[in-house]
Amino acid sequence: MIESMIDLLTRVVLIMEDGGSGKVVVLVDMDCFYVQVEKRLHPELKDKPCAIVQYNKWQGGSIIAVDYEARKYGVKRSLKGKEAKEKCPGIHLVQVPEKRRKADLSNYRKASGEVMKVLSGFTSVIERASIDEAFLDLTEPVKDYINSNSFDSLEFHADLKSTHVAGCNDDDDTHKDDCDLRISRGDWFKSSCSSDERVLIVAAILVQRIRETILNEVGFTCSAGISHNKMLAKLAAGMHKPNQQTILPQSQVDVVFSTTLLKKVRHLGGKLGEQVQDKLKIECVGQLQEYSLKVLQEKFGLKTGSWLYELCRGICHEKISNRIITKSIGCGKNFPGPSKLKTAKAVKYWLEQLSRELVERLEEDMTENTRQAQSITVHFLPEGQASSVARTFALPSYNTSLIVNNSWNAINKGHKPVTNEESHLTWTTGILNIHLSAGKFVQCGKGHMKSLLQLMSSDQECSFVSASSSHSSIITGKEVTQMTLCKEEREDAVLTTTPTITEQDQSLETSSMNITKFFTPIKRKGSLETQLDRNAKRREVVLEEIKGTLESDDDTIIDNQFEAVLCSECGEEVLKFVLEEHMDYHFALSLDKDSQIN
DNA sequence: CTTTCTGACGCT
DNA sequence: TAGCGTCAG
């Protein structure tokens, strides 16, 4: 009973020509994006078969992008450079830039940002779906366009040669003519087109302009799918590439789906798609229509079942989020087989490299997007384990050593060494992958926070502030004096890059909060002895030194000196009285780092 | 002896 | 929520 009612309701919705969404959704997909970025950089490569490889020592590196010329020879992603050369001897293999001995994709991220910026000029609703794809909601722009243009004078003569309508077989000249005719004839708009198709044709005109603008302003071609929801737009975009666009009207859904393989549909390219295929013994999306909602839900669960039920009818409710910047920033590296990390030293080295890249990118992100990540997750894959382990920790400031140490602690915890002797620290099983990811972004305060946080987050300038002898007093009650000093120092530094003095003047309270954050007092609940357990040996030595140095045996002074703070540089507990020395160490380290060539 | 390196999101 | 799993390119 309920089942048949739902079926009935769904059929009612389907009477509406656009599947009920009432929206115009476009997917813009850059053509072999990394290749285009490299060709823009090296124009001599234009018109030559080309692929992008990461690394090249082993088998000529891994291919991560292939242009359409090289695809003709069977070159594809995931082949090795060597294999590509065999299939296409004339291919040009461009290596991804390397920094700190790892692949550096920042060129492509920057180019992606250029594209997103252009897209922002056309509609306010854009979802960055990946580095080279974005969904656009063109519903409003299309309405505006229709309202501000008479249909008769509409750009029917607009060059829509690169526009296709899904369901028309381009290899079949008759059908192709039909499609082109409908688009190019002036009267089609009034008579021979459903309202659904009209808005999509108008959208196609806009998308044509968008694509031209991308080409003119940033020099990249792209393909696009034009439909009523994300699923259809994505499917359509893949139908004609490169440098073309495809309309997929609701009226063509059944025709198209009757031959569209399940795995070609978004979210069905993996295990679920295979399950559906196996359980129902079907190959194409359209065949799903033969199953009732009830059956689909019994076989695949309530949510997935109803999702499939609607999906095969061209309906998809996935929301378009309005976001053109990422929610997380991460970097990682594989250490396969022979290169697996077997020593603490090796792990620490790579944590250092990854952390440095991450901090560099986080700082750029803060400048561009006035936001700050609040947490880091470290993923690592121990040899022999099926899946990687993830551990998350707080990120109070953008600081390489803090990330390295917290990550190291996380890895070391679940991964015991064979021997305790540091220099011979060796694991029975190696580490095959490490990944660092920063997330939980919060917006920086209005205006003044930005420059302040920029200053505070910089490794070098951070050392400049905290390497002074004033830091421990922040905890002991000299905040005002010390903060004033810090503030003056900051202004000296900030003014060289930030001319707005007024913003700095507002920042006393804020800066107090942030600088205090640098050294977080550790909550104590146990005795002195229990507090010493972690670094007992080192601290016992320290204790003897203090007792020898101090004239009195006043325990309170000693206790006070044993109050610890969390060093913002390395995340470790540091006793107050060695804090100065400790920060000098970091300062020296930062100078040393700066003198190194990356 | 090896698809790399990303990123989003769902499930529990 | 944190951590794991899936999907995509």
Side-chain angles (χ1 to χ4, degrees), chain A residues 422-463:
Chain A
E422 184 81 4
S423 57
H424 297 108
L425 203 57
T426 305
W427 291 307
T428 51
T429 64
I431 300 286
L432 299 179
N433 168 280
I434 301 179
H435 184 93
L436 298 177
S437 184
K440 284 188 166 51
F441 283 96
V442 295
Q443 284 300 307
C444 297
K446 305 154 195 165
H448 66 277
M449 281 290 284
K450 178 183 175 184
S451 54
L452 177 64
L453 286 168
Q454 278 168 13
L455 176 64
M456 302 288 291
S457 66
S458 154
D459 270 4
Q460 191 179 348
E461 286 161 328
C462 180
S463 298

Side-chain angles (χ1 to χ4, degrees), chain A residues 147-162:
Chain A
N147 289 336
S148 63
N149 289 272
S150 110
F151 291 153
D152 292 332
S153 66
L154 203 59
E155 303 173 23
F156 290 130
H157 301 297
D159 179 16
L160 288 173
K161 271 186 293 187
S162 73

Side-chain angles (χ1 to χ4, degrees), chain A residues 201-241:
Chain A
I201 299 279
V202 171
I205 293 169
L206 296 182
V207 173
Q208 187 96 19
R209 283 190 194 167
I210 292 172
R211 292 172 50 232
E212 279 168 13
T213 308
I214 293 174
L215 185 57
N216 292 336
E217 307 219 330
V218 295
F220 302 132
T221 68
C222 60
S223 301
I226 301 154
S227 192
H228 298 296
N229 58 53
K230 288 168 79 167
M231 183 258 303
L232 293 178
K234 171 68 183 170
L235 191 64
M239 290 177 173
H240 299 280
K241 289 181 168 187

